[in-house]
Amino acid sequence: QPLPAASGTPASLVEAERTKQQPMPPLPPLDLLAELTNTPPPPQTPVRTVVRRVKIWTPLVLLLLVVFAVVQLVRPLPDPTLALSAEETYTFEGGKLQLPWPAEGQGAAEVVGVGSLGQYGAQKPAPIASVAKTMTAYVILRDHPITGKQVGPKITVDKKAEEESKAKSESTAPIKEGQQFTEKQMLQLLMIPSGNNAARLLARWDAGSEEAFVKKMNDAAKDLGMTNSTYTDPSGLKATTVSTPLDQIKLGKAVMENDVFREIVNTTRIEIPGIDGKIRNNNDRALLMDGVGGIKTGSSTPAGGNLLWSANAVVDGEVRRIVGIVMGAQDAPALWQKLEKAIDYSVALIPPAQEAVTSAVVVKKGQVVGHVDDGLGGRTPLVATKDLKAVGWAGLEVKVEIAENGSAVPHAAKAGTVVGQVSVGEGVGKVSAPVALQKDLSEPGFGAKLTRLG
């Protein structure tokens, strides 16, 4: 019901007030409001799904790539290495070497530090007779080393050594009980007249008994790699003391390193105070040959004639030692003739062996022989800084290698920097020439660092 107009209020004002206070129209329902104000999401499609995922993952992938790149760039570089690009072997011209090997027995010859000149025969263990004294001398000099002008301690001759000096069936040294000889003199009596009693006396002096010394001989043989040798006595008189040509060459190479031993076995005649007359070397005929150094003769009925010898070949002004052996010479009626036969065979064999040893240029100065591998695909060529000559003979194949020169290969260096060496041969016979960078060596670039694996 309309309110009555207040007393004194104009009618027009009353009507206007009534108009202002009219109620608002009712709001639409909430669900209708939501329908009017919210835009529904577009329908899902494969394209929209891919786009949405790209937007989410792209920043993460970029971040991972940045981290990966940083890690790759700061990782330590692999150590550079040297690799050979030249031929791994070199064969001397002239076909296979043919030496006048004997028609009987067995034997071999080798140039120390270079290789084998060849061998003949069965190469099986056989009695070696007095050649066994080479091992006796080796053990004595190993246990009681002397060199140069040294003569070593004095050794007193015992009763047994004097009694054995009178034996008619074996070679002996004419020594008497109570005499004293230096170690060097006893070695002379061992090797030059091939005194069996001197061998046994030295064994007792060194080890206390012959049995204990024989054990030392076999232990020494094992240490030298003489796998087919057995020593049963210090003199070689027993037929059970056996060896092979290759084993005796191993021993010969080792014992000839001692200068006192070389002096003794190269002697043709010697006088020793306390012993009447001059003592003759059974190998004096070979020793009179140019460049020949005797080692040891040996003869017995089971062994036949044997000679372990050495000879020198001079190549480019440098002496190269040859060690050889002839075993089992039997084609003669008497024992002494069998020994002479072994010497004859050796005398025929030694000069051709000496003449066969020569040299050849395996690598020439300036020749590219290898490269530095930086570990990431980069290769820098290496050249030899001088001619590399190797010792050999017709048909010999030698190994060519490249290696560091004692210090690590740098990651970067100027052209001409020596970083290693190329070598030919093995052991004491190895010869080498420096190798240098043909061009500047640089660290791997950005791309190589970034894309490296492992």
Side-chain angles (χ1 to χ4, degrees):
Q1 181 176 357
L3 295 175
S7 161
T9 304
S12 59
L13 294 176
V14 172
E15 184 64 25
E17 184 66 25
R18 181 184 294 119
T19 301
K20 288 180 182 180
Q21 292 180 359
Q22 286 181 354
M24 296 290 290
L27 295 172
L30 289 177
D31 55 349
L32 179 61
L33 183 62
E35 184 178 345
L36 294 174
T37 58
N38 290 340
T39 301
Q44 291 293 334
T45 66
V47 173
R48 289 182 181 278
T49 299
V50 170
V51 170
R52 182 165 58 86
R53 290 177 178 174
V54 167
K55 288 180 179 179
I56 294 172
W57 287 104
T58 295
L60 293 175
V61 171
L62 290 175
L63 178 61
L64 288 174
L65 288 175
V66 170
V67 171
F68 174 77
V70 171
V71 170
Q72 288 288 77
L73 293 177
V74 300
R75 277 174 62 192
L77 292 172
D79 293 331
T81 57
L82 305 183
L84 184 71
S85 60
E87 293 292 333
E88 294 182 353
T89 59
Y90 174 87
T91 302
F92 282 76
E93 297 179 353
K96 188 176 180 181
L97 176 64
Q98 298 292 337
L99 291 177
W101 301 109
E104 63 167 331
Q106 58 181 337
E110 180 177 322
V111 179
V112 177
V114 182
S116 173
L117 286 165
Q119 58 191 50
Y120 72 98
Q123 301 297 313
K124 293 182 178 180
I128 55 175
S130 288
V131 174
K133 294 183 177 76
T134 310
M135 178 59 83
T136 300
Y138 175 79
V139 173
I140 293 296
L141 285 167
R142 183 198 65 184
D143 292 353
H144 313 275
I146 54 175
T147 187
K149 299 298 183 181
Q150 295 174 339
V151 296
K154 289 187 176 182
I155 301 169
T156 302
V157 178
D158 59 18
K159 183 178 181 180
K160 187 174 183 180
E162 179 182 357
E163 291 174 348
E164 290 176 347
S165 71
K166 300 169 186 175
K168 302 298 183 183
S169 59
E170 54 183 300
S171 57
T172 62
I175 52 180
K176 298 178 182 180
E177 182 181 4
Q179 285 184 311
Q180 288 191 325
F181 298 98
T182 65
E183 176 186 343
K184 182 176 180 179
Q185 289 172 330
M186 284 302 305
L187 289 170
Q188 290 168 331
L189 292 169
L190 172 76
M191 300 301 293
I192 298 175
S194 194
N196 286 358
N197 58 335
R200 298 177 192 123
L201 176 59
L202 281 167
R204 295 191 295 273
W205 171 72
D206 174 81
S209 70
E210 293 175 37
E211 292 76 17
F213 188 80
V214 167
K215 183 181 183 305
K216 283 190 173 186
M217 296 173 77
N218 285 300
D219 289 344
K222 183 178 179 181
D223 291 341
L224 291 172
M226 299 168 63
T227 56
N228 294 304
S229 298
T230 302
Y231 291 92
T232 58
D233 69 312
S235 68
L237 182 65
K238 295 181 179 179
T240 48
T241 291
V242 297
S243 188
T244 63
L246 296 183
D247 274 5
Q248 287 303 302
I249 286 177
K250 290 177 182 177
L251 173 60
K253 290 190 298 182
V255 75
M256 287 294 283
E257 291 298 312
N258 184 281
D259 59 342
V260 172
F261 181 84
R262 290 198 306 270
E263 177 194 336
I264 291 171
V265 298
N266 289 348
T267 303
T268 56
R269 299 281 195 280
I270 192 169
E271 291 186 48
I272 297 178
I275 296 178
D276 295 335
K278 290 185 178 181
I279 301 173
R280 171 182 172 266
N281 193 322
N282 291 333
N283 191 29
D284 58 357
R285 184 153 57 90
L287 287 172
L288 294 174
M289 297 171 61
D290 186 30
V292 175
I295 298 182
K296 191 70 191 75
T297 57
S299 60
S300 67
T301 300
N306 300 272
L307 176 60
L308 176 62
W309 52 265
S310 72
N312 294 330
V314 181
V315 182
D316 298 331
E318 185 177 350
V319 174
R320 296 286 180 168
R321 182 177 298 129
I322 307 170
V323 176
I325 188 170
V326 168
M327 290 175 58
Q330 296 279 8
D331 189 17
L335 186 56
W336 68 269
Q337 291 173 317
K338 292 178 181 182
L339 178 57
E340 287 299 311
K341 201 80 173 177
I343 296 173
D344 288 341
Y345 291 148
S346 300
V347 166
L349 185 61
I350 291 171
Q354 290 172 307
E355 293 168 8
V357 183
T358 184
S359 67
V361 176
V362 177
V363 175
K364 295 182 179 179
K365 181 180 180 180
Q367 177 182 339
V368 175
V369 293
H371 59 261
V372 176
D373 188 337
D374 65 11
L376 298 181
R379 293 185 172 185
T380 305
L382 294 170
V383 295
T385 61
K386 67 176 184 178
D387 287 348
L388 179 58
K389 281 182 126 182
V391 173
W393 46 88
L396 176 69
E397 184 180 273
V398 292
K399 194 179 202 179
V400 182
E401 296 179 305
I402 195 168
E404 298 174 6
N405 56 0
S407 57
V409 181
H411 290 285
K414 294 293 185 182
T417 302
V418 173
V419 295
Q421 60 185 13
V422 59
S423 60
V424 178
E426 300 176 1
V428 297
K430 178 184 283 189
V431 290
S432 303
V435 292
L437 297 169
Q438 189 183 49
K439 60 181 183 179
D440 289 350
L441 173 65
S442 303
E443 284 193 1
F446 176 82
K449 292 180 181 178
L450 190 62
T451 58
R452 61 176 151 170
L453 301 175

